[in-house]
Amino acid sequence: MASLLTLLAEQRRSVISILSIFLLSSLFLFLLSTNFDRFSLASFSTNTISSSSSSSPSPSSISASRKELNSSLPTPPPPPPPPAQPDTPPVSVSEQDEGEGEGNEVFDFKWEICTVWKGLQTADYIPCLDNIKAIKALQSRRHMEHRERHCPSPPPKCLVALPRGYRDPLPWPRSRDMIWYNNVPHPKLAEYKKDQNWVRVSGNFLVFPGGGTQFKDGVRKYIDFIEQILPAVEWGRHTRVVLDVGCGVASFGGYLLDKNVITMSLAPKDEHEAQIQFALERGIPAILSVIGTQKLPFPDNSFDMLHCARCRVHWDANGGRPLLELNRVLRPGGVFVWSATPVYRKDEQDRTTWKAMVDLTNSMCWKTVVKSKESNGIGVVIYQKPVSDSCFFERKATDPPLCPKKDLPIIPWYSPLDDCISQINQKEPVEWPVPWPDRLQTVRSSLVPEENLITDTTHWKEIVSNIYLTDLGINWSSIRNVMDFNAGFGGFAAALIDMPLWVMNVVPASGPDTLPIIYNRGLIGVYHDWCESFNTYPRTYDLLHSSNLFGNTTRCDVIQIITEMDRILRPGKWILLEESLDILKKVRPVFLSLHYKATIVKSQFLVCQKSFWRPDNIQKGS
């Protein structure tokens, strides 16, 4: 009996030991699987893998150039830290044969359609502008706070639904004059502005006749009128980069393209339903923004011309801060073209507004260059910004005061508007850039050695001509709107300058400040923090390009960035990444999970083509 009890006890201990080992092994494997190769950008190697083809350009020149850039350019203070991110799902890697270096990785993630408020799904979701909860909690809307950015925390990892009947956009230049109604099914603006020829509904199309509130005889005649009353404007030579504030459907910028002028068309997301969405669907550069309480995401002294045609901005409000912000972004010697009722009407309200404008522009040392009327009665006044600080020290009154001089560049990202005049910081008059198109290759900058710019330009010309246009299977004839996520000096955009497309150059707010150089070259762009959503509608770009973004970013969640890429990109269009092979192998499974075609080329490029696939949790009628 004792022997039997002893035997049972030993067997019990053996069973317990086996179970303990099994449980410990399971726990170890679980911990290993949840911590192995976590999908955050911090785990990515920053080593760039060179091309497998000896005849192809090496990325070493651009890498070296950017390293020199990092050391030669002052790095601005970092942007406000993004909200804490939850851990992202792990990547499950198969041990099967990896084929041509692409691997058979599987990304295990359940994609769902975004809901905006109380379960509502919308095909036009913009996370940082449609944060209803944050907007409802605002204490004030007096200065357009509700039109500013209020990003959700954490950033969304969901997909935006397609509108019913969505199809490939019409090609440029046909798209400037008409777009598919089902792609942007918003008829209210056509009804609201039916007497002003902004936009009309015509069968399956939205048609843009080239009219506007101030363009009674058409936008082409209005553009010619500006050059007629001020020949020094010299469209496409002297004047290359324009900011159109309150742009409507962006017909002004759309027709300036015929003059070799690139215009950043800007308007808020407001009751003028989908005006920026119309602009981008037409193939015209545009961005959602508002002059409220924060600075615009552009560098100081960047635009050759500012334009406002009945843009409904009260320039003298809030101590004149809106006009002081325009002064900040206007290049010394540049002009502000203002076409509004106070310029030519004589009722009491317009007279009051005009007097306030005269007082404010005089205090800012702006010179009234010309004030004139078109034959149709529409009036225009053109102001010019001074080219030196000398006038400011001769003013009898010092309101508004001069801003303190800046020792280091401060990137305007979530920065409050100034209540002072930005100093030009020049003892001598500022020189205007050389005429376009020579301006693209001739940049005067004390921020970076000239050889860096030459190296960058040469590199991108070779990459674009020898690889991008020939080896990647991208249908370039279908591409109009392009975004460069990490633009550097704008070399990628410069290499594409002869193609019928335009590039939104994005400079990360936490990196070296190269955006002034991009504007000096006659190109356009914005600051942005890719830890957050971009200020554009869904499905507004045909090609998203990025070089060394993921390898140089450690703060952001890669799944959130890829989700944002999917939101911005049109179905059937392309994402083109240049990264190390290690990074490419890790991001490729995410794109495959989104039903993209995704191919690694030459061990350093990932080419992804978006499909029309969306998850199956789409509500009827969304």
Side-chain angles (χ1 to χ4, degrees):
M1 184 68 178
S3 300
L4 180 59
L5 290 173
T6 301
L7 179 61
L8 290 172
E10 290 176 354
Q11 288 180 344
R12 187 182 298 114
R13 282 195 296 271
S14 299
V15 171
I16 292 172
S17 298
I18 292 169
L19 286 173
S20 299
I21 292 171
F22 174 80
L23 291 172
L24 288 171
S25 299
S26 299
L27 180 61
F28 175 78
L29 289 173
F30 173 78
L31 292 174
L32 182 62
S33 66
T34 56
N35 286 281
F36 174 71
D37 197 17
R38 278 200 181 273
F39 217 154
S40 66
L41 291 174
S43 68
F44 285 180
S45 164
T46 58
N47 297 325
T48 302
I49 306 298
S50 62
S51 170
S52 60
S53 171
S54 59
S55 62
S56 299
S58 166
S60 58
S61 60
I62 187 65
S63 299
S65 175
R66 287 184 177 175
K67 285 180 181 177
E68 290 180 36
L69 171 64
N70 290 340
S71 60
S72 62
L73 283 177
T75 301
Q85 306 292 331
D87 288 340
T88 54
V91 175
S92 173
V93 181
S94 169
E95 296 295 333
Q96 301 174 22
D97 177 27
E98 293 193 354
E100 297 182 0
E102 294 186 347
N104 295 304
E105 301 88 349
V106 177
F107 178 68
D108 185 18
F109 189 83
K110 181 176 173 57
W111 294 107
E112 294 186 347
I113 294 295
C114 297
T115 56
V116 181
W117 178 251
K118 296 183 178 179
L120 175 66
Q121 293 179 354
T122 173
D124 297 333
Y125 179 44
I126 306 170
C128 291
L129 298 180
D130 291 331
N131 188 350
I132 308 299
K133 183 178 180 180
I135 293 172
K136 284 180 174 291
L138 290 173
Q139 299 298 310
S140 171
R141 300 189 179 194
R142 182 180 177 187
H143 300 299
M144 304 293 286
E145 290 90 345
H146 57 303
R147 307 294 188 198
E148 295 180 327
R149 291 172 60 83
H150 303 281
C151 297
S153 176
K157 297 177 188 174
C158 55
L159 307 181
V160 177
L162 291 177
R164 287 180 177 273
Y166 181 87
R167 58 196 299 179
D168 286 336
L170 295 172
W172 180 266
R174 189 183 178 199
S175 63
R176 182 175 64 180
D177 301 324
M178 60 195 306
I179 62 175
W180 293 113
Y181 175 85
N182 284 342
N183 285 13
V184 192
H186 298 297
K188 290 182 181 178
L189 194 61
E191 178 64 25
Y192 181 55
K193 295 289 186 179
K194 63 184 178 182
D195 297 328
Q196 298 173 14
N197 278 332
W198 280 36
V199 56
R200 292 199 293 257
V201 178
S202 177
N204 293 327
F205 300 97
L206 289 162
V207 178
F208 301 87
T213 309
Q214 300 296 96
F215 313 147
K216 290 189 175 181
D217 296 328
V219 67
R220 281 194 175 99
K221 287 190 176 180
Y222 176 80
I223 288 170
D224 291 340
F225 173 70
I226 291 173
E227 191 169 25
Q228 176 188 335
I229 61 175
L230 186 62
V233 163
E234 199 179 352
W235 295 122
R237 292 275 294 163
H238 180 80
T239 301
R240 163 64 184 173
V241 185
V242 174
L243 176 66
D244 187 15
V245 180
C247 62
V249 295
S251 290
F252 180 70
Y255 283 88
L256 275 175
L257 289 166
D258 292 342
K259 305 280 189 179
N260 276 328
V261 175
I262 186 79
T263 303
M264 181 74 80
S265 297
L266 178 148
K269 186 180 183 184
D270 60 11
E271 64 273 12
H272 283 171
E273 182 186 38
Q275 53 190 335
I276 293 297
Q277 194 173 15
F278 286 147
L280 289 163
E281 186 72 15
R282 297 174 71 187
I284 301 170
I287 191 170
L288 287 158
S289 194
V290 65
I291 304 177
T293 67
Q294 298 171 356
K295 292 181 179 179
L296 297 171
F298 310 123
D300 297 358
N301 308 319
S302 49
F303 291 97
D304 304 338
M305 174 188 284
L306 309 175
H307 175 259
C308 157
R310 291 282 288 272
C311 57
R312 302 194 308 163
V313 178
H314 301 288
W315 297 115
D316 61 319
N318 197 16
R321 284 175 174 83
L323 197 64
L324 290 170
E325 175 62 1
L326 285 198
N327 180 75
R328 180 185 71 82
V329 301
L330 181 61
R331 186 181 299 280
V335 296
F336 174 43
V337 179
W338 187 38
S339 177
T341 56
V343 178
Y344 55 91
R345 288 183 183 171
K346 302 300 181 182
D347 59 78
E348 184 177 350
Q349 182 178 349
D350 285 322
R351 284 176 179 271
T352 301
T353 302
W354 175 251
K355 183 180 183 307
M357 193 69 167
V358 168
D359 292 342
L360 183 55
T361 52
N362 285 341
S363 70
M364 294 166 52
C365 292
W366 280 15
K367 177 184 175 183
T368 301
V369 182
V370 62
K371 184 182 179 185
S372 183
K373 276 187 182 182
E374 290 187 81
S375 59
N376 58 25
I378 297 297
V380 172
V381 63
I382 301 179
Y383 299 101
Q384 186 174 35
K385 179 177 175 177
V387 295
S388 73
D389 288 331
S390 59
C391 169
F392 300 128
F393 301 107
E394 299 169 359
R395 296 181 303 167
K396 294 180 180 179
T398 58
D399 185 31
L402 283 176
C403 298
K405 286 189 176 182
K406 302 174 184 176
D407 295 325
L408 291 173
I410 300 174
I411 286 181
W413 185 247
Y414 291 115
S415 301
L417 291 179
D418 290 330
D419 58 358
C420 52
I421 303 172
S422 298
Q423 292 196 41
I424 299 172
N425 291 334
Q426 295 284 340
K427 294 180 181 178
E428 301 294 330
V430 176
E431 291 187 20
W432 195 262
V434 299
W436 180 265
D438 294 341
R439 174 174 174 175
L440 183 66
Q441 310 298 344
T442 309
V443 178
R444 303 185 184 103
S445 175
S446 59
L447 297 177
V448 64
E450 184 179 359
E451 56 268 23
N452 285 35
L453 295 172
I454 295 172
T455 299
D456 183 81
T457 299
T458 302
H459 165 81
W460 283 112
K461 280 184 178 179
E462 292 177 348
I463 287 287
V464 168
S465 62
N466 296 339
I467 297 178
Y468 283 8
L469 299 181
T470 59
D471 294 355
L472 303 183
I474 294 173
N475 179 10
W476 287 91
S477 65
S478 70
I479 291 175
R480 173 63 187 169
N481 301 354
V482 179
M483 181 181 290
D484 192 352
F485 273 49
N486 189 26
F489 298 125
F492 170 67
L496 296 171
I497 199 65
D498 292 327
M499 299 187 68
L501 53 80
W502 61 273
V503 180
M504 180 71 78
N505 293 283
V506 181
V507 171
S510 58
D513 185 5
T514 57
L515 198 52
I517 295 172
I518 289 172
Y519 274 94
N520 283 341
R521 299 186 75 171
L523 305 172
I524 59 171
V526 294
Y527 297 111
H528 185 65
D529 180 1
W530 285 116
C531 295
E532 300 177 356
S533 182
F534 193 81
N535 271 18
T536 192
Y537 284 90
R539 304 170 304 280
T540 45
Y541 284 84
D542 302 308
L543 176 68
L544 307 180
H545 174 262
S546 173
S547 177
N548 299 312
L549 173 71
F550 292 154
N552 292 325
T553 305
T554 58
R555 301 180 303 107
C556 309
D557 180 349
V558 70
I559 308 304
Q560 179 265 319
I561 295 178
I562 293 176
T563 301
E564 179 63 2
M565 287 180 165
D566 179 85
R567 189 185 71 85
I568 293 172
L569 188 65
R570 290 168 170 165
K573 305 306 181 182
W574 287 270
I575 293 173
L576 173 53
L577 306 181
E578 181 192 18
E579 298 284 352
S580 72
L581 181 59
D582 180 56
I583 293 175
L584 297 182
K585 283 185 174 183
K586 290 176 180 178
V587 299
R588 180 175 177 267
V590 185
F591 288 108
L592 291 175
S593 75
L594 291 165
H595 295 239
Y596 283 44
K597 294 178 182 177
T599 305
I600 295 176
V601 180
K602 299 181 182 293
S603 298
Q604 73 182 74
F605 305 103
L606 179 65
V607 184
C608 304
Q609 186 177 15
K610 182 177 178 179
S611 71
F612 279 73
W613 174 84
R614 294 290 87 177
D616 57 8
N617 67 317
I618 300 179
Q619 297 171 359
K620 263 191 171 181
S622 63

